[in-house]
Amino acid sequence: MSTDHERQACLIIGAGSAIGGAIIRRLGTENPDCDILAVCRRPEALPHTADACLHTFACDYTEPGIIQLVQQLKPWHGRIRLVVISTGILHTGTIKPEKRVEDLHMDSMLEVLRVNTVMPTLWLSYLLDAVRSDIPCRVFTLSARVGSISDNRKGGWYSYRASKAALNMVIRTAAVEYARRAPNVKLVAFHPGTVDTELSKPFQRNVPQDKLFSPDFVAERLLTISSDLPIDGDASYLDWAGKSITW
Ligand SMILES: NC(=O)c1ccc[n+]([C@@H]2O[C@H](COP(=O)([O-])OP(=O)(O)OC[C@H]3O[C@@H](n4cnc5c(N)ncnc54)[C@H](OP(=O)(O)O)[C@@H]3O)[C@@H](O)[C@H]2O)c1
């Protein structure tokens, strides 16, 4: 058993998401030697667990909130081997993915870009010192296949597509800098497939049953892919099967 000082950690940002929650549950059963750092807006709403490895943190995801949270993680700096950023919105009470250009509204588009692009970007910025160490660390940001510019044949969902395409560009750009400043870190834009969660609920009708994944299936896929992924100084855009998606 490793001592408190040697224990590695996995950081899950967006612990309140269905996918983030499933990853936390899997890590809890499969990695008893690893601290799990779970960040979300309302940790009190997370399912109760007696897991001593689980440490929960509240964050409002504002820039000062992110800075403060990274400070709270100080005891684990240099010992983080996996980061998953699984926050993201497609629809809210007032936002719907756009079908036509006439559906576009500035406030809605800005909110989707704020949550899906700017927030993960701030994490990549403020976490640099926390993940920079001799320990290899994989950072998975939940993207989506619809963020692929070269693969866009169907159109629609302007704001969501744009937010994920911009996120992908941030990940590729950050990978260039991380390769220099934090060479033991691998950055990944991850497409989980269509997963049965609140986010995809209104859009599941045309998805074949065998293509609608459970959060637990995707959690298993992400953790398996992560464990085999070489630290190569480059960003990867991968789907749930571990296959590359064209940017
Ligand atoms: N489900 C799918 O089919 C699918 C497909 C492709 C990509 N993805 C991506 O996978 C990720 C996780 O999706 P999910 O399906 O697990 O979603 P989910 O269960 O609906 O979780 C939503 C996540 O977004 C955060 N969030 C929601 N509204 C927010 C707001 N207004 N401000 C800040 N954060 C907010 C939540 O934060 P808290 O943790 O603080 O509650 C939570 O982590 C997203 O990035 C999504 O785009 C999902």
Side-chain angles (χ1 to χ4, degrees):
M1 194 79 172
S2 50
T3 66
D4 273 3
H5 231 67
E6 296 162 339
R7 285 170 69 85
Q8 294 188 0
C10 297
L11 169 62
I12 312 302
I13 296 161
S17 68
I19 294 173
I23 292 168
I24 289 168
R25 283 192 295 281
R26 276 216 164 243
L27 284 169
T29 51
E30 291 174 5
N31 293 271
D33 252 5
C34 182
D35 282 338
I36 303 165
L37 316 174
V39 178
C40 63
R41 290 166 300 171
R42 294 177 54 234
E44 67 281 5
L46 295 176
H48 183 71
T49 157
D51 190 344
C53 304
L54 180 64
H55 304 261
T56 57
F57 301 87
C59 183
D60 61 7
Y61 302 140
T62 60
E63 188 163 10
I66 289 172
I67 293 169
Q68 194 183 13
L69 203 281
V70 173
Q71 282 302 314
Q72 283 177 263
L73 298 179
K74 202 103 204 192
W76 291 276
H77 284 199
R79 294 194 279 135
I80 299 172
R81 69 159 193 242
L82 174 70
V83 178
V84 180
I85 304 173
S86 76
T87 45
I89 55 170
L90 172 58
H91 58 90
T92 67
T94 52
I95 297 172
K96 282 199 183 103
E98 311 88 355
K99 290 187 177 147
R100 323 180 299 157
V101 281
E102 289 88 340
D103 297 336
L104 281 158
H105 298 289
M106 185 161 78
D107 288 350
S108 304
M109 188 169 191
L110 285 174
E111 177 62 2
V112 173
L113 288 165
R114 183 186 72 80
V115 175
N116 292 358
T117 313
V118 180
M119 269 171 40
T121 302
L122 291 177
W123 285 112
L124 290 180
S125 160
Y126 289 110
L127 280 171
L128 177 74
D129 283 338
V131 294
R132 184 176 17 210
S133 85
D134 298 338
I135 297 171
C137 176
R138 280 94 179 168
V139 178
F140 279 65
T141 304
L142 271 288
S143 179
R145 194 183 294 278
V146 296
S148 166
I149 290 178
S150 50
D151 187 50
N152 183 359
R153 273 164 263 280
K154 278 197 195 150
W157 292 18
Y158 285 83
S159 299
Y160 187 74
R161 274 184 195 280
S163 69
K164 295 295 189 182
L167 173 67
N168 289 350
M169 180 56 94
V170 166
I171 291 168
R172 283 203 76 166
T173 306
V176 175
E177 186 172 349
Y178 265 65
R180 201 168 20 89
R181 299 180 60 196
N184 264 340
V185 178
K186 167 81 180 171
L187 300 184
V188 183
F190 185 68
H191 169 62
T194 305
V195 191
D196 187 7
T197 70
E198 283 307 314
L199 182 141
S200 69
K201 273 254 145 60
F203 312 99
Q204 292 179 359
R205 210 173 332 132
N206 297 326
V207 181
Q209 209 47 42
D210 64 335
K211 290 274 163 18
L212 182 62
F213 301 145
S214 71
D216 183 56
F217 171 78
V218 172
E220 184 279 326
R221 295 306 313 141
L222 186 151
L223 293 175
T224 301
I225 291 165
S226 165
S227 64
D228 293 338
L229 208 55
I231 308 284
D232 57 6
D234 204 1
S236 294
Y237 186 16
L238 301 176
D239 72 7
W240 55 272
K243 286 209 190 105
S244 286
I245 301 171
T246 57
W247 301 93

